[in-house]
Amino acid sequence: MMRLFDRTLGKWIRHFLFILVRTYYALFYNISSSGKHLLQNQSGALILATHVSRHDGPMIAAVLYPTMRIRPTVHYDEYYNWAQFLAMFVISAIPMSSPKSWPDEKRKARKAKVMGIIHKVMSKENAVLLFPAGKVRRQKEELVPAYLSGVHEILSAEPNTPVLLLRLDGLGQFQAATYDRFWSFIGIKKGRRHVTIDLRSLTDLDPSVGVEAFNARLEELLNTPVSNDI
């Protein structure tokens, strides 16, 4: 039943939400994106993104929607929040983690189930959007501690998975805010905030190394300015 809903009514609702969200960001943000073409010939991919604000997920999904269906990962608490559960369900978000109050065995079973869903999604030629830092940035740089082992485990299980690095600039509180004059005709000097989305392929993430070294390399990639790639 859920699969039928996803392919019929869910598809129409997602497109309607895309129009609403894309219109909102077109009105209040001046978004430039590069590298979207890298998704066109992919048969499933893992997108690793910086997490600079709460707009990241909706903005990325809206910008990439016409190119490939994006299945975002969200924290368990956010997915089951009553105020946003319907939207999460319609866009087929994947809830990550589990309540710490659960027994260890139950949490391990939950993690194994989520990993299975992620691999299944990518095998069906969809993209999974994952924020390696796990939460919105509270400092100038992305931090990926060793206990956040999801990316390492995904690539260890399937090392040939296509991986793309997505970096947002101009959106977070620690990033420069530049505005155009879109709303100047009604006397507002600050118009839309400029945001850059940069997407590029990653071929140098080695899951055979330990989690700590792997995450250190991931931090380095996430924190490299778009104009100064490693």
Side-chain angles (χ1 to χ4, degrees):
M1 182 62 70
M2 290 178 63
R3 187 174 298 177
L4 178 63
F5 174 85
D6 182 71
R7 293 178 177 176
T8 55
L9 184 59
K11 183 177 181 180
W12 285 96
I13 295 175
R14 280 195 299 275
H15 197 73
F16 177 69
L17 289 176
F18 158 72
I19 293 172
L20 290 181
V21 174
R22 191 66 179 264
T23 301
Y24 169 82
Y25 285 121
L27 288 173
F28 299 104
Y29 294 87
N30 187 346
I31 305 171
S32 62
S33 60
S34 62
K36 286 199 300 182
H37 66 283
L38 297 173
L39 285 172
Q40 290 179 325
N41 297 319
Q42 293 287 2
S43 56
L46 179 64
I47 301 175
L48 306 178
T50 54
H51 204 356
V52 299
S53 80
R54 293 195 174 276
H55 285 279
D56 299 350
M59 182 179 286
I60 292 170
V63 171
L64 300 183
Y65 178 86
T67 309
M68 176 183 278
R69 184 178 178 185
I70 308 297
R71 295 280 300 273
T73 57
V74 298
H75 193 272
Y76 184 91
D77 290 338
E78 291 189 14
Y79 184 88
Y80 290 103
N81 185 304
W82 69 269
Q84 55 192 31
F85 173 75
L86 181 60
M88 294 290 181
F89 178 76
V90 170
I91 65 173
S92 302
I94 303 172
M96 300 283 284
S97 189
S98 58
K100 293 183 179 180
S101 58
W102 284 10
D104 289 343
E105 290 303 316
K106 186 176 181 180
R107 296 194 73 189
K108 289 179 181 178
R110 171 65 188 172
K111 185 175 184 178
K113 180 180 179 180
V114 171
M115 290 297 171
I117 292 173
I118 289 174
H119 289 295
K120 185 177 180 179
V121 167
M122 292 188 293
S123 70
K124 291 188 174 182
E125 302 186 359
N126 294 319
V128 172
L129 172 64
L130 194 150
F131 299 103
K135 58 184 179 181
V136 176
R137 189 186 300 179
R138 295 288 183 261
Q139 62 288 319
K140 291 184 178 181
E141 295 187 332
E142 299 280 325
L143 299 177
V144 189
Y147 70 83
L148 294 176
S149 58
V151 179
H152 185 265
E153 292 177 9
I154 292 170
L155 295 181
S156 293
E158 294 188 24
N160 293 324
T161 299
V163 183
L164 295 102
L165 177 70
L166 189 152
R167 289 167 295 182
L168 283 158
D169 190 32
L171 187 61
Q173 67 176 111
F174 296 102
Q175 297 177 334
T178 306
Y179 298 86
D180 62 17
R181 294 179 56 82
F182 184 82
W183 295 105
S184 60
F185 70 98
I186 57 175
I188 300 176
K189 293 182 179 180
K190 284 188 177 181
R192 300 174 301 174
R193 183 166 177 171
H194 288 271
V195 178
T196 300
I197 296 178
D198 176 76
L199 191 68
R200 73 178 183 92
S201 297
L202 270 187
T203 57
D204 52 356
L205 269 181
D206 183 8
S208 66
V209 303
V211 176
E212 189 171 344
F214 180 89
N215 284 6
R217 175 56 180 164
L218 191 51
E219 281 185 2
E220 187 179 11
L221 291 166
L222 291 168
N223 290 313
T224 301
V226 173
S227 59
N228 187 30
D229 284 335
I230 293 176

